[in-house]
Structure formats: C-alpha cells, structure tokens
Amino acid sequence: MKSLKMRLLWTAVVAALLAVVVAGGATAQAPVVKIGLLATLEGPFAAGGQDGMRGAELAVKQRGGMVAGKKIEIIKASSDAKPDVAVNATRKLVEQDKVDIMVGPLSGSEGIAVKNYSKTQPNTTFINGSSGAQATTLVDPSPNFFRFNTEGAQWMVGLGDYAYKTKGYKKMALIAEDYAFPYSQVQGFMTEYCKAGGRVTHKAWVPLGAKDYSSVIAKLPGDVDALVVVLGGADAVNFLTQYEQAGGNKPMVGGSITVDQTVLNFKGKRRESLLGTPSAGPIADSYDAPEWKKFVADYKENFKDGFPSPSLFAFVYYINMKAALDGLEAVKGDLSGGQAKYREALKTLKLKTPTGEVTLDENRQAIGTTFVTEVAKAADGGFYNKVVKVVPNVNQRLGMSKADFEKAGLGSRDVPNCP
Amino acid sequence: MSAAEWRKAMNAGAGRYAWTGGARGRIAARPVDRPSPRPSPLRGEGEVATAWTQWVWRRVGARHVLVLLAVLVYPWVATPFFTFQIGAQSLALGLIALSLTFLAGYGGMVSLAQMTVAGIAGYMFAIFATSGTDISLRWPWGLAVVLALVIATACGTLIGWFSVRTEGIYTIMITLAIGVAFYYLAQQNYSLFNGFQGFQSVMTPAVAGVELRAPLVFYYLSLFWALAGYFFVAYLLRAPFGVALQGIRDNPRRMSALGFNVTAHRVAAYTVAGLIAAVGGVLMVWYNGLVSPGSVGTSWLINILIIAVLGGMRHPVGPFIGAVVFVLLQNFAVDLVGRERFNLLIGGVFLVIVLFSPDGLLGWWAQGRQYLEKQLAPARAGGWRRGRRGQERSTTAAPGPH
Amino acid sequence: MSPFWRWFWVLVVGLPAVAFTVWGLADNAKLFLSTALNGLTLAALYFLVASGFTLVFGLMRNVNLAHGSLYLLGAYVGYEVGEQTGSWLVAVAAGFASAALFGLVLQVAVFRFMHGEDMRQTMVTIGLSIMMADILLWMFGGEIYQFDPPRVIFGRTPLPIVEVYPTYRLVLLAMSAAIGVLLWWFLNRTRVGMMIRAGVDDRGMLAASGVNVQFVFAVTFAIGAGLAGFAGVVGGTALSIAPGEDTRYQLASLVVVIVGGMGSVVGAAIGAILIGVAEQFGLAYAPTYSVVFTFVIMALVLAFRPQGILGRRA
C-alpha cells in the first residue's frame, strides 16, 4: 500500500502544476499599449529578421517610447519562416500576452497564414511585417490585416522598361527560385518588359535548396542579351561566383533581394562584375531625399551592430510599425469599440515614409514608391545601390485594370510568358 | 508459471534502456519497484468477481484517477489559449510521438519518419477536403478523413517495408532520408502538394453546427483520441502481438527460431504506428488550419524524436509528458532565454536527458519516487528492517530468550 | 548472385545509362560533358565529407549525426583564421585542426563512456548538432561567408569541348583524389591503419591482442571530424557558407554512405560519384525533381541491396 505521505505529496505536486498553468492564464491590466512583434530570428532568414526588429524598434525610439500619452510595450516573438510556427507565435502574442496590435511576420507564406488567423481575432489589428506574397491581400483579404509595404511584384515595376528601353536588352534568360516570391517578382518585371516588346526565351526555375548552379549555368542559351536573376541571399552569392567562374560574361538584371545589402556585404571579396547591375525595390541606399537620409542616420546611430545601411527588412518593418503608431496618434490612443476608429484611421492614413507617401487601396494593401537602381562603388570602395529612376504610386495591380489583372492571374511558373 | 505471471515478467521494465542498445546500456541499473497488484477485496468465498473489475482494481491506482480527472477538468480552469495551444497541441503531438515510442521503445526500431506519415495524412486531408487552394477536391470531410488515414497508414507500411531490412542505427538513417525525400517532393510538386506554399485555410469540419476548432471542443476531441491511442497501445502491448514484438526487440533470432515471422511482425508494427501517427496528423492539420512542407521538414522530424525521448520510452504516457514540456518550452522560452535561442535550449535539454537519464522524465520520476519511498517509509510492520540502527526488530520475532 | 541475375542488373542499369549518354552527347555535347564534370566535382566534395562519416561508423558503430555541424565549424573557424592571417592554405589547415580537436574532445569526454550503446550515441550527436547549429548561428550570424583563395586556383581553365571550366572545381577534384589516396595509404600501409581495419572487422579481438583500443578510436574520430572540417573550408570556397549548410551536407553524406555501404571508404567514393552525378544531371535535364532524384536512388539501393553497394551486413 502506498503511504499516506506519498499520496499527499503526489496530490500536492499535481495541484501545484495546475496552479502554475492557471496562473499563467491570468492577465494584469495596465495603462500601456501592447504591440506584438514577430520576425524570423531562426534559420536562413535570421539576419533579415534581426534587421527587421531593429527597424521596428527605431520607429518606437523615434517617438520616445510613448504614443498618445500611453507607454508602448513591445513583446517580441520569433519564428523560423514556417507558417505553423508563425501562427503559434502570433496566437501566443494575441491570446496569451493580449497584445492590442500585432506587427509581423517576415516571410510570404507566414503572412498568408497570419492573415487567415487574423480573421478569427476580430478584436486585434494585424499589421504586416515584411511578408511580400501577392495572395495575402489579393486573394481573400482579411478586414483587420493591413499592409503598409509594397509587395514583391510592385517592387519590380519600372525595371522592365528600364531593361528594354534604356539598357537595350531585347532578349533575356531567367534564373529564379521555384516558389511564390520569385513568381511575383518575375510577374512585376515581365508584365512591363513583355509589353515593351522584350522576350524571355529561357526560364530556369531552380528548386529551393540546390546550391550548385553549374548545370543551370551550362544550360543558359548563348544568344540572350542579359540574364534576369531573381535569387536571394546565399543563393545569389553562389550563383554570381559560379557564373563568373564558368566564364559567363552576360550582364545581369537583379531582383529586389539579389543585389541588396546582404548580398553586396557578404564577407568576402567583392565581385567587380556586379557593378552596373540594375535592380528595383522599395529602397535605394543612395536616395538623396532628406527623410531617407535622416532615417539612415538614425539607424546608424541607434544600432552600431547593424548593417552599414539599413536593409530592406529594416525599412519595411519600420514603416509598418510607424503606421501602427501614427494611427494610434491619430485616434489619440482610442482602441475601444473593437478598435473600429483605429482601423478607420489606418485605412485613410497618408503615411509619411522615408521614401515618400504611402496610402492603402481597397484591400488594405499599400500603394507606394519603387526605385530602379544600379550597383555602384562608393568612395570608400564599398558597393551600394544608386537611384536611377523613381516610380511613384505603384499599386498592386501593376497599373493594369482590375479585369486585365484578374485575367492574367497571380504570378506563377508560366504567368507571364513571352518567349 | 501461469500465463498472467509470464506476461507480467515479460512486461516488467518494458522499454527501459532497451532502445539504447544492448545490456551494457544501463547506466543506473537500479531495479524499479513496481507496486505489486493489490489483492482484490472483491474476491471472497462464493463471490463472483468479473475478470474486468479485478483487472481494474489491480491496475488503477489513485494517480491514474487524479490524472484523468485533471485532464478532464483542465479546460474549465485554464484560459482558451492554454486549452488550445498548449493542451490540444500537446495531445496531438503526443499522439504522434506515441507512435514513435511504440516503435522504438517496444519494437526497438527508431523511425524518424513518423512525422512524415502524420504529414501525409494532413496533406491527404487537405487535398480531399476543402481548403483555400484550388487543388482541394472539396469532398465531404468524413470521407476525406477516412481516405487520409488509409493512405497515410499505407505509406507508413511502405516506409516500414523499406526500413525493416535494416536494424538499429541504419533505421534512423534510412527513415530520416525517407522523411527528407518526402519533404523535397512536397516542396517541389505543385500539381498535388502545391509546393512551397502548401495548403492554407484548411477548413476544419463542423459537426451538427458545432465548430470542431473551438478550443473546448477541439481539446476534448484531441483528448479522446489521445486516450484512445494510449489505451490501444497499452492493450496491444499485453496482447500476444505486442509481447511478440517485444520479444523480437530483445532477440529476433530466438523469436524466429520459435516460429514467429519477424519481418511481418515488424511491418505490422509500422502499420499500427502509422495509423496512430495518421490520426495525430489529421488532428495537427485541423489544429494548424494549414499544412506546408515546413510541417514535415527535418526540424519537425527531429522534434518528435526529442518529445519521445524527453518523456521517456518506458511507458505509453511518456510521449504526452514530453509533448507538454516541449510545447511549454516552445511557448515560454522567450521569458527564459529569448525565443531565438529556443533551439539551443531544447537541444541542451535533450542532451542532458540523453546523457543522464535515457529513460527521460519518466525515468527521473521513477528514481525520485523510489528515493522518496525509501525515505518516507520506515520499518514495516511484520518484517525485518536492518539499517544503521541494527536494533530494530520485528514485532513478530520468534519467541525466545532476549 | 547467379550469373543470370548479374547480367540482368547490368542490362537494366547499364542500357538506359548508355542510351542516355549517346542521346546527351548527340543533343548537346558541351552541356552533357560539363554536367558530367560538374557531377564528378560535386562527388569529390561529397566524398570528402562522407569519408569521415563512414570511417567513424565503420570502426566505432557511431552514426555521427553532428558530422554536418563539424563541417560548418571547420568552415567558420577556417574563415576567421583566413581573415586574420590572410592565407587560404592556413585557413584550410585551421579548418581541419579545429574540427579534429573538437572531435577528439567529443570522443574522449563523451563517447568513450557510451561504448556499445549505439542508439544513445546517435541521440547525443543529434542533440549536439542542434546545439552547435544554434551556437554557430549566434556567433557568426546569418550572413553569407565567402572565402578568398589564391587567384591562381580561382580562375578558369580552357578545356576541349566544354570550352571553359572553373579551375577551382578541378582543383577540388584533384584534392579529393589525393585525400582518397592518402586515406587508402593510411588505412592499408600504416600500423594505426592496420589496427583500424582490424577493429572494423572484430573489435573484441583487437582489444584482446593488447592494442589500446581507446587510442585507436580517438585517432579515428579525430581524423573523421578533421576531414569534415577540411571539407568545410574547401567546400565553402566553392559554395559559400551559411547556416543550413550543416543539414545539407549531413543529409548528403547520409545518402552517399547508405548507397555506397557503411564502413567502406571505397564505397563512399562510389556512392559519392553516383549521387553527385545523379544530382547534377537531374539539375540539368529535369530540374524540378532533381533533389528527389538522389533519394530515389537511395530507395532503390535500399530495396535491392540494403547494406549498400560495398557494405557488409551488420
């Protein structure tokens, strides 16, 4: 027979565990506004996620940690670019930590999952982090999910024309990774390029996880004028190295993350062949508007361990967090009534960002500015992206009418096509 | 030896250290005291006690009743977040890890592809039922569930057929490679698996107007299936099939000499484990509302192993304990070391468990209980107890001169 | 295997291969030959990583699932040393040495006490790989690192038919072949190598004949780990280093060793060639499923010859 003491001990242990669990559910009311912040801090996007957090923190610091008389409390969470992990992290922030506003996530498929989750939480406002999938706001949008940053396809508007008309590339070959973000980037580029008369004769969709491009390079046709390369991070670095080693000498046109700061700053020898590569995206390192310069200076001053210039992720998280705070300011911190007034304010907000003004369309998707850039060398020998053209008011339908865009469909392996 | 005693002997210490490989695998070979079954008060002259009530009285102790009450009452005392994200997720993950515990602890085959089987079930459900993707066929959810379970179990059997040709370490390697192959297939194929995006907005069914995804309902649903899995495994282990499986784990050659078809038994074990994992997989796809290649990637394959080892492979309740600890760490690590160092924390915990207590938390619990029992239970009436105080004597000592 | 079956398998595997080769050469000889070369050079890299893995398993029955992490560790340490000293060769040596040292410590401090518990050792290596991956991510961040080898080996070589080919990959092929020969010499012509081979055959007898088995184990693990670190620097020069490389090379060596046979260095070479060539041809001619290709080969080998091509039944 078990002794009485053993039984009591066991009961006490179980009761203690239950108490801990129940206590965990209790919340404390306090006069702050809680904002949840989600980015990928694990896995291959970790560097981008860290910079995104820096951007968001900068927006809070610029307001001195207070908005509309309330203290801003940021609760951070991390994911690893997997949608189920992102939803779990968001659910914890929203249901357990009881945040009022949610900013995040970072990657495209996470964004769609969080958007779906937002439909089940009508009393919380969800603002995007940097996820750039078209489908998040074009397909089945959520009434309380706001995206103040432009997405992958919008980031390439202006580049197609530049490649065809200014650079004179009449025929191009495409190398891109085989998933949604490159599809949208390619759609943004090719819609304009094909309309201008260009032809993309060869499309090489490389599976995710293949770091060896030697065979892809061997298959590239020799009669094209240039290559469109939509790869990111380590893959871009690998491709560029291997292409040069294989004797390739065609000029390139890069996607938004192909020649961004993370690639230009990789630890190793600079590739001189990158100089002059055109690209397009939501930022340009050398933009000379005073707001942009102030943003860069603030970033450098506050984050000594950051990049030499804020990356795309820092910028995008910054404007989304700024939008959250500007909206709060506009309604004087009034989040009552299911945050209805706050959401109205967000919908009609004319957000002043370092790159110009951003407004929202009917799907709560941003209409903003895209920069066409070229890689140049600075006085100190480092590489940066200099502005060649500024394209304002880029909307999610890429300038097409609703009917035309719906006919064309979202970007995929075969959309658009002009061989 | 009666049949019942033989079974008790076979099952005592089942799973303990067996999976670490060999008799030399015992670091702390302290025999664990299993409480002997109490004599049934219902048995008396002329009283008819059914075998079932005797079985219940012998096996069910206070701790079983307490735990059952606790899990039944839990959602009424916890917040919806804790019920759904912590409670239901632990139960569903625990179910998948149970299939691994069954295979590894009692079958001696560590298969890292259990999450793959669960993922296949999830994908099949998403394909046959309704989701936000065009590929989904929008068939009735009941049919989709049945199809998902059947296909996933078949895949589990196929994986088993590949893996039974190997033993021990090879099995880990091969099942890991199979799991990764499925991950890449799901990521690259757009016609069936919708590639990198996977299936979003998978609709959880509603039965008689009740949404199955509501926290309370989903918790009880997961609890039902977790209990079903647990009792099924516990029953199976005492049935001839389970006993034979454990025999095969310990000495396949001898079992083969006795006339058992070792390969068939092993493949059948994979089938059973596949079914359990498939049920867990359908629950997970309902929980997440989505399934993507990330759900079946390397990190999740290893996570299930971590959960199973963490809890302990000596008893079917182990994986559920491991799942609770894992989910709690995953959600609250941010308060301990910062969420981005979660992997370091879980890896460290796993390493500590493997180094110091290969039986997982259950092993520590058993050792702790044993230690406490020794401390709290002094001289027993009617028996000798020799300790440092050698003067203690039994009260029923033989009469004689003192 | 009876002569009939042998001929059957030669025909079933050989005929399609020959047919494909003829078609490929006729269709686009440059592409075909450059893909073949790419496959061989990738195989060279896979061999470097897998040889250490199979050596450790063959002797000590220890499936070191932290092998990929050792690759990454050697790469990062090699990079730091290369930055400090400015010499790529020193970086290579540092990569080898750091991984070998770490492996030695692991064997002496951890695995020595788990002799015979294969599963437990594997679990420990899994835990270690998770922790090491996170620590390396913490220390070195998520950025991409690229090495800076001497210009002379990093240019292009003119070759017949393929016209131009990256010199470094040919250097990689040569290095791998040299390492292979060195390993063969070490295993077959030195005392320690003889002990290792004896231990692979029968550990008990080796101990019984008075050899310090723990010393042999330590040396073997150090060499195996060192090879991984060496491959880290050498491979990282061809393809950059970033978090996630450890999983990739771990899986690659797993597949190579399953196909080639556990415990056999020649088997690792054969497996590496098969897998490397298959992966590159897949990427060139059927890119969508190229990554699944290698696993299909592995599954086929497993279905028909579970111990691998040159392996022996455990």
Side-chain angles (χ1 to χ4, degrees):
Chain A
M1 282 293 278
K2 283 204 248 292
S3 68
L4 181 63
K5 279 187 189 159
M6 278 305 297
R7 286 174 187 266
L8 282 176
L9 188 64
W10 213 102
T11 320
V13 166
V14 171
L17 281 171
L18 277 175
V20 163
V21 156
V22 170
T27 54
Q29 297 294 335
V32 297
V33 60
K34 288 197 203 171
I35 306 184
L37 184 57
L38 174 66
T40 50
L41 296 176
E42 302 160 49
F45 288 110
Q50 278 167 343
D51 220 28
M53 291 254 172
R54 286 187 205 121
E57 280 166 18
L58 184 62
V60 173
K61 275 202 186 133
Q62 281 183 341
R63 284 185 169 276
M66 301 277 289
V67 69
K70 290 191 188 172
K71 188 166 171 318
I72 305 172
E73 187 185 325
I74 301 283
I75 307 179
K76 293 191 192 167
S78 142
S79 70
D80 58 359
K82 290 209 280 276
D84 48 347
V85 176
V87 172
N88 274 339
T90 311
R91 194 182 292 125
K92 174 182 180 280
L93 286 173
V94 171
E95 293 181 36
Q96 172 69 5
D97 298 320
K98 304 260 192 288
V99 297
D100 305 301
I101 304 165
M102 181 67 219
V103 174
L106 185 139
S107 81
S109 37
E110 288 177 320
I112 299 179
V114 169
K115 171 202 74 173
N116 285 328
Y117 173 70
S118 71
K119 293 187 192 168
T120 67
Q121 296 291 329
N123 287 326
T124 314
T125 304
F126 290 76
I127 301 182
N128 189 34
S130 70
S131 82
Q134 291 171 298
T136 316
T137 46
L138 270 179
V139 174
D140 217 10
S142 160
N144 55 338
F145 189 89
F146 295 80
R147 182 151 66 174
F148 283 91
N149 60 293
T150 45
E151 40 89 335
Q154 290 169 287
W155 289 351
M156 296 288 262
V157 168
L159 189 60
D161 266 346
Y162 187 77
Y164 188 79
K165 295 186 183 139
T166 317
K167 287 294 213 185
Y169 302 143
K170 308 275 185 269
K171 256 201 304 188
M172 297 183 79
L174 168 72
I175 300 113
E177 274 162 336
D178 204 356
Y179 73 106
F181 177 70
Y183 295 163
S184 59
Q185 291 249 290
V186 168
Q187 183 176 36
F189 174 77
M190 279 179 70
T191 309
E192 225 173 70
Y193 184 70
C194 297
K195 203 162 104 174
R199 290 168 52 210
V200 175
T201 54
H202 177 87
K203 279 189 185 179
W205 296 106
V206 183
L208 271 169
K211 292 256 167 12
D212 198 341
Y213 296 98
S214 25
S215 299
V216 172
I217 293 169
K219 262 177 103 174
L220 289 175
D223 61 344
V224 291
D225 300 317
L227 305 176
V228 186
V229 181
V230 186
L231 304 168
D235 298 340
V237 173
N238 279 328
F239 176 79
L240 296 168
T241 316
Q242 289 166 32
Y243 185 67
E244 187 186 301
Q245 283 190 323
N249 52 7
K250 299 259 187 278
M252 287 191 228
V253 172
S256 307
I257 52 173
T258 307
V259 284
D260 74 331
Q261 279 296 310
T262 43
V263 173
L264 293 179
N265 277 313
F266 68 76
K267 309 254 190 295
K269 234 164 113 32
R270 302 277 180 270
R271 300 260 161 259
E272 296 289 325
S273 52
L274 276 181
L275 286 172
T277 307
S279 172
I283 60 171
D285 306 325
S286 74
Y287 188 41
D288 55 5
E291 299 89 13
W292 172 256
K293 287 204 165 105
K294 178 172 183 303
F295 171 66
V296 175
D298 276 348
Y299 173 88
K300 281 205 220 180
E301 189 194 312
N302 277 299
F303 303 110
K304 300 280 187 281
D305 60 336
F307 288 120
S309 181
S311 74
L312 195 139
F313 296 104
F315 171 73
V316 167
Y317 264 84
Y318 171 79
I319 56 177
N320 277 311
M321 181 62 92
K322 184 169 190 294
L325 298 175
D326 283 356
L328 274 174
E329 184 82 47
V331 295
K332 310 231 186 314
D334 177 11
L335 289 170
S336 62
Q339 303 191 354
K341 275 201 217 153
Y342 180 58
R343 287 183 201 156
E344 261 315 301
L346 283 178
K347 274 188 219 164
T348 53
L349 190 64
K350 288 197 190 333
L351 183 68
K352 293 202 180 353
T353 72
T355 55
E357 198 178 75
V358 166
T359 51
L360 294 183
D361 67 8
E362 77 274 14
N363 288 328
R364 291 159 297 285
Q365 165 65 33
I367 303 172
T369 316
T370 298
F371 296 91
V372 179
T373 62
E374 266 193 21
V375 178
K377 199 175 196 171
D380 62 359
F383 284 18
Y384 72 104
N385 286 306
K386 82 167 193 270
V387 177
V388 193
K389 196 161 91 172
V390 179
V391 185
N393 291 330
V394 178
N395 68 7
Q396 204 175 14
R397 298 219 169 83
L398 309 172
M400 292 196 266
S401 71
K402 189 162 185 267
D404 280 343
F405 189 81
E406 251 148 51
K407 202 161 73 127
L410 290 182
S412 71
R413 276 188 198 146
D414 307 307
V415 169
N417 224 7
C418 53
Chain B
M1 256 227 267
S2 77
E5 279 169 318
W6 178 73
R7 264 186 219 162
K8 190 166 60 108
M10 283 297 288
N11 285 327
R16 181 174 40 128
Y17 298 132
W19 60 274
T20 62
R24 284 170 291 178
R26 284 160 222 256
I27 43 159
R30 264 177 253 168
V32 171
D33 228 14
R34 272 214 156 198
S36 47
R38 293 184 292 279
S40 163
L42 294 177
R43 193 193 273 163
E45 268 96 27
E47 274 199 35
V48 176
T50 62
W52 190 85
T53 42
Q54 277 192 13
W55 186 92
V56 167
W57 186 252
R58 276 204 196 117
R59 306 267 168 232
V60 174
R63 66 173 190 269
H64 298 119
V65 174
L66 260 175
V67 171
L68 196 62
L69 266 177
V71 289
L72 282 172
V73 163
Y74 174 74
W76 303 106
V77 296
T79 61
F81 169 77
F82 263 89
T83 309
F84 191 66
Q85 181 137 321
I86 310 288
Q89 201 189 157
S90 313
L91 290 168
L93 281 176
L95 197 57
I96 302 175
L98 177 67
S99 70
L100 178 58
T101 303
F102 175 71
L103 270 181
Y106 299 98
M109 307 173 274
V110 181
S111 158
L112 285 176
Q114 292 308 109
M115 195 58 181
T116 306
V117 175
I120 291 175
Y123 263 109
M124 289 301 131
F125 178 82
I127 291 172
F128 289 119
T130 324
S131 84
T133 325
D134 297 326
I135 301 175
S136 295
L137 293 172
R138 288 158 212 267
W139 287 356
W141 68 269
L143 184 61
V145 169
V146 169
L147 277 171
L149 291 178
V150 166
I151 294 176
T153 312
C155 288
T157 314
L158 191 65
I159 293 174
W161 181 79
F162 267 116
S163 315
V164 290
R165 297 148 166 275
T166 61
E167 274 191 21
I169 312 297
Y170 293 87
T171 316
I172 289 192
M173 293 173 46
I174 282 147
T175 48
L176 178 62
I178 293 176
V180 173
F182 177 71
Y183 164 76
Y184 279 117
L185 178 68
Q187 193 185 77
Q188 288 304 118
N189 177 296
Y190 277 83
S191 47
L192 192 63
F193 292 103
N194 204 33
F196 190 72
Q197 283 294 82
F199 288 87
Q200 304 266 0
S201 332
V202 174
M203 298 219 61
T204 340
V207 177
V210 175
E211 265 293 333
L212 281 183
R213 208 153 177 264
L216 205 64
V217 180
F218 189 72
Y219 175 82
Y220 280 117
L221 182 71
S222 319
L223 183 64
F224 171 74
W225 285 110
L227 285 173
Y230 172 82
F231 285 119
F232 176 59
V233 168
Y235 163 74
L236 204 62
L237 289 171
R238 282 171 159 65
F241 172 71
V243 177
L245 190 67
Q246 291 171 77
I248 290 173
R249 173 199 70 204
D250 289 332
N251 199 330
R253 218 184 255 182
R254 193 180 283 178
M255 292 301 286
S256 171
L258 282 173
F260 287 93
N261 186 339
V262 170
T263 312
H265 262 90
R266 283 188 170 150
V267 175
Y270 270 97
T271 310
V272 168
L275 179 62
I276 299 174
V279 173
V282 172
L283 284 174
M284 282 306 285
V285 80
W286 286 353
Y287 168 79
N288 280 320
L290 60 91
V291 63
S292 70
S295 322
V296 293
T298 341
S299 51
W300 267 117
L301 299 177
I302 306 273
N303 281 343
I304 297 292
L305 178 70
I306 292 178
I307 290 174
V309 170
L310 199 60
M313 292 213 205
R314 68 203 328 253
H315 191 273
V317 83
F320 294 104
I321 297 177
V324 169
V325 173
F326 181 84
V327 169
L328 281 174
L329 275 175
Q330 202 177 40
N331 278 285
F332 296 103
V334 63
D335 305 314
L336 291 173
V337 291
R339 179 65 171 83
E340 60 255 37
R341 296 277 84 82
F342 166 70
N343 275 320
L344 189 61
L345 183 66
I346 199 75
V349 170
F350 181 67
L351 204 57
V352 163
I353 294 277
V354 175
L355 284 173
F356 299 110
S357 172
D359 258 355
L361 291 172
L362 277 183
W364 268 340
W365 171 258
Q367 285 176 23
R369 221 177 64 192
Q370 208 195 343
Y371 176 76
L372 279 174
E373 272 182 351
K374 272 208 196 119
Q375 298 304 314
L376 292 177
R380 282 177 204 222
W384 276 92
R385 178 155 168 84
R386 271 207 195 103
R388 273 168 286 162
R389 295 139 117 249
Q391 300 95 311
E392 285 179 46
R393 280 208 213 283
S394 144
T395 53
T396 57
H402 289 270
Chain C
M1 218 197 280
S2 63
F4 167 72
W5 281 110
R6 209 171 288 163
W7 275 111
F8 175 77
W9 283 119
V10 167
L11 282 175
V12 160
V13 175
L15 270 182
V18 168
F20 177 71
T21 313
V22 168
W23 172 81
L25 282 169
D27 178 49
N28 185 344
K30 174 170 176 222
L31 175 64
F32 187 84
L33 283 171
S34 62
T35 312
L37 264 177
N38 293 335
L40 280 175
T41 49
L42 186 63
L45 185 57
Y46 282 166
F47 170 71
L48 277 179
V49 189
S51 56
F53 185 71
T54 199
L55 199 63
V56 164
F57 178 80
L59 178 64
M60 294 179 286
R61 289 276 173 278
N62 183 353
V63 177
N64 183 10
L65 289 177
H67 201 71
S69 313
L70 289 166
Y71 173 96
L72 206 55
L73 175 77
Y76 278 128
V77 170
Y79 175 80
E80 286 297 318
V81 169
E83 281 286 282
Q84 297 296 320
T85 62
S87 159
W88 182 75
L89 286 169
V90 175
V92 172
F96 179 88
S98 59
L101 191 66
F102 194 75
L104 191 68
V105 166
L106 273 181
Q107 168 63 24
V108 165
V110 180
F111 295 128
R112 183 160 58 130
F113 303 107
M114 292 186 211
H115 192 67
E117 302 168 47
D118 317 335
M119 207 58 85
R120 196 156 158 233
Q121 284 179 336
T122 309
M123 301 288 174
V124 169
T125 57
I126 291 179
L128 275 171
S129 74
I130 300 174
M131 289 185 74
M132 276 174 74
D134 207 43
I135 292 177
L136 288 173
L137 177 65
W138 199 1
M139 285 171 61
F140 293 97
E143 290 108 28
I144 315 127
Y145 289 72
Q146 192 93 3
F147 286 92
D148 189 14
R151 270 281 119 186
V152 66
I153 59 168
F154 216 53
R156 302 165 213 162
T157 342
L159 285 177
I161 306 184
V162 292
E163 281 158 44
V164 158
Y165 199 70
T167 316
Y168 185 71
R169 295 187 82 114
L170 296 171
V171 169
L172 185 60
L173 189 59
M175 255 195 280
S176 236
I179 298 279
V181 168
L182 204 68
L183 259 180
W184 178 88
W185 176 84
F186 174 72
L187 284 175
N188 288 297
R189 292 279 182 271
T190 62
R191 263 187 77 82
V192 183
M194 182 173 68
M195 291 190 237
I196 292 178
R197 276 185 298 127
V200 172
D201 283 340
D202 194 336
R203 227 178 317 178
M205 272 314 271
L206 183 69
S209 31
V211 170
N212 185 352
V213 174
Q214 288 304 326
F215 170 74
V216 176
F217 284 2
V219 165
T220 315
F221 205 99
I223 293 178
L227 275 171
F230 174 81
V233 178
V234 162
T237 317
L239 315 162
S240 53
I241 342 166
E245 291 294 296
D246 53 343
T247 331
R248 182 170 174 251
Y249 283 102
Q250 180 61 58
L251 288 166
S253 31
L254 214 59
V255 175
V256 163
V257 165
I258 291 176
V259 167
M262 283 286 223
S264 158
V265 174
V266 180
I270 295 181
I273 291 176
L274 267 176
I275 298 296
V277 167
E279 198 177 297
Q280 284 300 321
F281 273 100
L283 260 177
Y285 291 96
T288 315
Y289 292 110
S290 59
V291 202
V292 190
F293 241 41
T294 46
F295 293 101
V296 168
I297 294 185
M298 182 201 75
L300 285 172
V301 168
L302 271 178
F304 297 107
R305 202 179 154 83
Q307 68 269 34
I309 295 179
L310 282 187
R312 36 180 110 208
R313 281 244 167 226

